[in-house]
Amino acid sequence: MPLLSVTDLQVDFTTRNGRTTAVNKVSFDVESGKITAIIGESGSGKSVACYSLLGLLPTPPASIEGGTALFEGRDLLQMSESELRRIRGRDVAMIFQDPMTSLNPYMTIGDQLVEPLVYHHKVSKSAARERALELLTEVGLRDPHATIDQYPHQFSGGMRQRVMIAMALINEPKLLIADEPTTALDVTIQAQILALIADLQRKRNIGVIFISHDLSVVADIADEIVVMQQGLVVERGDRAAIFDHAEHPYTRKLLDAIPAGSKAVTAEQREDLITVSNLCTWFGQGKGKEPLRAVDNVSFTIQRGEILGLVGESGSGKSTIGRSLLRLLPITSGEVLFDGVDVTQLQGVGLKQMRRRMQMIFQDPYASLNPRMSVYDTLAEPLLLHGIESRKTVEHGVLRLMDDVGLPRAFVRKYPHEFSGGQRQRIAIGRALATRPEFIVADEPVSALDVTIQAQILDLMLELGSEYGLTMLFVSHDLAVVRHIADRILVLYKGQVVEQGTGEVLFNNPRQEYTRQLLQSIPGRALIS
């Protein structure tokens, strides 16, 4: 008998627009010691299906309309809340996508690890603390005796995810549900977390449900794969069957969306639009205090019309470089020439006029878009601020931007929360294009998007870049994505450029060990070679 057997699960939601079936007659099994991956785009129902098993959906608006979920012979869907509470965190544990929103910011890491052990097993706090220290060591957290008394905000994203894994495993569950646990992590940290989950799963012989939109991640770890689309299971099979002999068009669409190949490099020599010389951006400078050298003596050029990729791990300084170029951060020293003008020396009106020519697309459009402003107001604001349109003509300018980024004009009065992640990123791109800039810094613009939506946004950026004649700095931790879109790539490590070249050169003949580590960390690399 499988550890978990889900049969004909149906979950509906009641909304103001009527009743919607989010999960439609879904069936799958999970074996002890095996990883079952559930993949699909946002809205496919993969997370809803798994959350419903543990009673984690709000009811209403959600309601379970049918099906069974036998866990060790007992139907989870028929259990009372008190019965589920005894199982959650003890027999079935969960790793959520964003540890920063899952961890309590007011509690130390140690207190949060101790709490479920004390609750479920009634052990003493001192014994629970010792167990927490052992587990923090097991999940690869450095110096756990020091870090156990720190708070979540003092950890990096990868460290917080390790803490979430430790918290999920502390009661030695039989089933682990991992919901997009590596989506926003750097490629090297992602590889470490995936290897950690697989290693712990083997050592403890636990069953794992791994929810993801990223087929390249699934390629490395899954034993069985379930493909979901619009609430339905459209295909299932082992790893080889899905990747080598996919039958359903949607599965093939997901496979085709994996970034592959490198962007063709334009042969002709172009003039330099941006020249960066000996750029230093340091933080925490003070008397007798060693500064954090986030960007340390970096030099490079970007040619007019070129897309330059900038890759590296979290903390490598890549986002700091992008923000420094736009003067969104104070520069310690160095020179940034934009079309012959040193932007480090600009102030006031001169800086405002220059910023019209230089724009930024941020990683999280939901955080960068004003939730109180409609799409119309969001796009109209820069058009009016820089005098590009008048009050009489601004509507025409807004609708043109909607057309450019592929959004229906009818959506112009909606607010950010009414859009999907991919649609919000299109709005952010439209806002960046509103001033008709010559240069854009795109800071991880697709890292949190589904792979098919990611492909659409990348294609849109390439198309608009060509149409508008844009020059772009494309910041990412994902070498496969950068290879797809960039003319050249800079590899950043601890605030310094360690290697540069075209995608083909870096992928096929990397000179630096760090670059080779980044390449080896790409999930499912065989799929994109």
Side-chain angles (χ1 to χ4, degrees):
M1 178 182 294
L3 176 66
L4 173 71
S5 183
V6 177
T7 306
D8 293 333
L9 175 64
Q10 180 171 330
V11 182
D12 289 1
F13 282 83
T14 302
T15 70
R16 61 187 177 187
N17 296 321
R19 201 170 185 83
T20 300
T21 299
V23 177
N24 193 355
K25 303 293 184 182
V26 164
S27 302
F28 62 89
D29 293 335
V30 183
E31 304 279 350
S32 294
K34 300 286 187 181
I35 296 179
T36 296
I38 303 179
I39 63 170
E41 298 170 287
S42 292
S44 61
K46 56 190 188 296
S47 293
V48 170
C50 293
Y51 282 33
S52 69
L53 305 180
L54 296 179
L56 297 178
L57 296 177
T59 52
S63 62
I64 297 174
E65 295 297 312
T68 59
L70 298 180
F71 174 72
E72 294 189 317
R74 300 177 62 201
D75 191 353
L76 295 172
L77 305 182
Q78 299 301 318
M79 290 184 182
S80 65
E81 176 58 31
S82 60
E83 289 176 306
L84 280 174
R85 195 178 297 119
R86 286 193 292 272
I87 284 179
R88 284 195 301 252
R90 186 189 67 183
D91 296 325
V92 183
M94 193 152 195
I95 304 169
F96 294 94
Q97 179 173 354
D98 183 1
M100 195 58 181
T101 58
S102 304
L103 294 169
N104 189 327
Y106 291 98
M107 292 175 66
T108 67
I109 294 301
D111 288 342
Q112 294 184 66
L113 283 168
V114 164
E115 186 179 54
L117 203 56
V118 171
Y119 176 81
H120 286 290
H121 295 286
K122 314 301 181 188
V123 301
S124 67
K125 286 190 175 181
S126 60
R129 183 180 172 88
E130 286 302 311
R131 176 66 186 126
L133 285 168
E134 292 173 8
L135 204 50
L136 288 176
T137 302
E138 189 175 0
V139 298
L141 215 64
R142 292 189 297 272
D143 196 9
H145 285 86
T147 54
I148 194 171
D149 293 317
Q150 292 182 339
Y151 291 84
H153 73 273
Q154 296 174 279
F155 290 73
S156 68
M159 290 172 66
R160 284 195 291 266
Q161 198 59 285
R162 289 174 186 270
V163 171
M164 284 294 296
I165 293 171
M167 192 177 298
L169 295 177
I170 198 161
N171 281 311
E172 301 187 357
K174 300 167 185 175
L175 175 65
L176 179 66
I177 302 174
D179 185 11
E180 302 268 16
T182 63
T183 294
L185 300 180
D186 292 342
V187 67
T188 49
I189 306 300
Q190 180 186 72
Q192 294 169 18
I193 296 298
L194 291 171
L196 174 63
I197 291 174
D199 181 55
L200 293 171
Q201 173 255 330
R202 285 191 299 269
K203 286 197 300 187
R204 296 167 179 265
N205 196 41
I206 59 179
V208 176
I209 300 174
F210 194 97
I211 304 169
S212 181
H213 65 261
D214 194 333
L215 266 168
S216 58
V217 169
V218 170
D220 284 344
I221 66 166
D223 297 298
E224 296 290 325
I225 299 173
V226 177
V227 183
M228 288 188 66
Q229 180 189 27
Q230 297 179 353
L232 294 166
V233 173
V234 296
E235 193 159 3
R236 74 181 80 224
D238 61 25
R239 190 166 29 187
I242 295 297
F243 283 97
D244 298 334
H245 307 288
E247 296 179 358
H248 197 277
Y250 179 69
T251 309
R252 292 197 292 271
K253 175 187 171 185
L254 291 178
L255 288 166
D256 291 341
I258 296 174
S262 63
K263 181 177 177 286
V265 180
T266 306
E268 70 270 14
Q269 186 67 29
R270 295 169 289 195
E271 65 175 345
D272 293 337
L273 177 65
I274 295 173
T275 302
V276 179
S277 303
N278 307 115
L279 177 66
C280 293
T281 303
W282 298 354
F283 300 105
Q285 296 161 268
K287 291 183 178 179
K289 188 176 181 182
E290 183 66 24
L292 172 63
R293 300 170 186 253
V295 178
D296 195 18
N297 199 34
V298 166
S299 300
F300 59 90
T301 62
I302 310 178
Q303 296 178 343
R304 193 178 294 274
E306 180 184 33
I307 297 179
L308 180 68
L310 186 60
V311 299
E313 300 172 286
S314 286
S316 62
K318 56 188 186 297
S319 292
T320 302
I321 286 179
R323 291 167 191 247
S324 297
L325 299 189
L326 302 189
R327 288 284 304 279
L328 298 178
L329 289 174
I331 296 171
T332 306
S333 63
E335 184 179 70
V336 179
L337 294 181
F338 180 87
D339 203 13
V341 177
D342 187 356
V343 299
T344 67
Q345 303 302 313
L346 293 176
Q347 302 293 334
V349 174
L351 182 58
K352 178 183 175 182
Q353 291 174 342
M354 181 61 75
R355 279 183 171 157
R356 172 178 169 175
R357 303 171 66 187
M358 309 165 72
Q359 289 291 311
M360 189 160 191
I361 303 169
F362 293 93
Q363 177 175 359
D364 182 359
Y366 198 66
S368 59
L369 295 172
N370 190 329
R372 297 176 181 271
M373 292 175 66
S374 67
V375 175
Y376 183 93
D377 293 332
T378 296
L379 297 179
E381 184 181 52
L383 294 173
L384 294 171
L385 178 66
H386 290 283
I388 298 168
E389 302 284 356
S390 67
R391 289 284 177 187
K392 291 182 179 179
T393 64
V394 69
E395 182 173 352
H396 173 75
V398 167
L399 294 178
R400 186 185 66 246
L401 287 170
M402 293 289 282
D403 293 340
D404 284 345
V405 298
L407 287 174
R409 292 185 171 194
F411 289 0
V412 77
R413 297 295 177 182
K414 289 187 174 184
Y415 289 82
H417 72 275
E418 298 180 270
F419 292 87
S420 68
Q423 290 173 326
R424 282 196 290 266
Q425 198 58 285
R426 288 175 184 267
I427 297 167
I429 292 171
R431 182 177 171 85
L433 292 175
T435 64
R436 300 170 192 169
E438 298 165 58
F439 175 59
I440 284 181
V441 175
D443 188 9
E444 301 270 15
V446 297
S447 64
L449 300 179
D450 292 344
V451 67
T452 49
I453 306 302
Q454 181 184 86
Q456 293 171 18
I457 296 297
L458 290 174
D459 289 343
L460 173 67
M461 293 177 73
L462 284 171
E463 179 184 334
L464 292 173
S466 176
E467 179 182 340
Y468 279 77
L470 292 173
T471 303
M472 193 180 305
L473 179 68
F474 191 95
V475 179
S476 180
H477 63 261
D478 192 331
L479 264 170
V481 167
V482 173
R483 185 191 189 195
H484 173 74
I485 197 171
D487 296 300
R488 289 186 300 126
I489 301 172
L490 301 185
V491 181
L492 204 65
Y493 178 64
K494 292 186 176 179
Q496 297 183 329
V497 175
V498 296
E499 189 161 3
Q500 58 182 295
T502 66
E504 288 298 321
V505 169
L506 291 185
F507 263 70
N508 298 323
N509 189 30
R511 290 177 291 137
Q512 298 296 322
E513 177 59 29
Y514 178 67
T515 309
R516 287 192 285 271
Q517 290 176 10
L518 287 178
L519 291 169
Q520 290 166 2
S521 300
I522 296 174
R525 189 185 176 199
L527 297 173
I528 60 173
S529 297

